[in-house]
Amino acid sequence: VVIIVFILDVLDYPIENRFVFRCLRSIILCQFSGEIGNFFGEKNIALAKKAIEKAGLYIVQKEDLNRLAEVAADAYRDYPLHNWFMGGKYDEIASKLLMQISLKTMTEDAVIYADSDEINGFAAWLPFGFTGNKAIPFLLSGGLKLILHSGLGIINRLSAYENYAMGLKKEYTCNYDWYLFNLSIKKDAQGEGIASKLMRPMLQFCDDERMVAYLETNKEANVSLYQHYDFQLEEQKLVPKSNVMHYAMTRTPGTKMK
């Protein structure tokens, strides 16, 4: 049944004639997204990296992770969600630690690349089947250090947010998506076209592979940025027990980028 659904889905029929097959595919993937993701994940990551390299972008290495964390900490200065994680006030050390830990836990399972080896900006995408970071790898990758610096409260807020965010992702894509986990540009390099340079090749790959792209942002000004790449706003509401607005966005494959 899975094979039939996917064959019919990729046939070049008008969208309305394929609607029932798209629905069936979503139902199947909601039931088996974990198994399918594990089975095809490595192949999809390799294909995505090949597409990124073909576009002339730099696939980051493990030794680059500290520099990535510095870029992200700079980009997320005064970002509402990070301020909430830190208890209401921006903490550069905690923000950098958080990004180091997150990137370390997903290095093998993500496509992480930069504009160049100078790393003025980078993007991190996770393949379909991703349901969130696991607790043990998070702690072993530096989570204990983060707790010692910021207290247990930050772990409670991180956990609550991830459960909420991943629940929305599953609701809108059944976890059959390429998930933009992070897009960070150095503040002094913003406005130079780096975001477009990072986004377009991966979105073209999603189009070629007929994959939905998914992201969330917590800053209203970013919504129009992603709409420029044909992401659609699916939902906006406050993160539970916070004053942080959450914007969930999806992009259908094959849409024409502006």
Side-chain angles (χ1 to χ4, degrees), residues 94-114:
S95 185
K96 184 178 177 180
L97 269 174
L98 176 58
M99 292 311 304
Q100 285 176 335
I101 296 163
S102 298
L103 292 167
K104 281 181 182 178
T105 60
M106 65 178 62
T107 303
E108 302 298 328
D109 303 315
V111 177
I112 309 174
Y113 57 95

Side-chain angles (χ1 to χ4, degrees), residues 213-241:
Y214 181 87
L215 63 83
E216 68 258 342
T217 183
N218 305 100
K219 200 170 184 178
E220 185 178 9
N222 290 345
V223 173
S224 59
L225 166 69
Y226 293 121
Q227 286 174 333
H228 179 74
Y229 301 107
D230 292 305
F231 280 86
Q232 303 297 316
L233 180 61
E234 299 288 358
E235 183 170 327
Q236 65 178 78
K237 62 170 58 175
L238 289 174
V239 175
K241 299 181 180 180

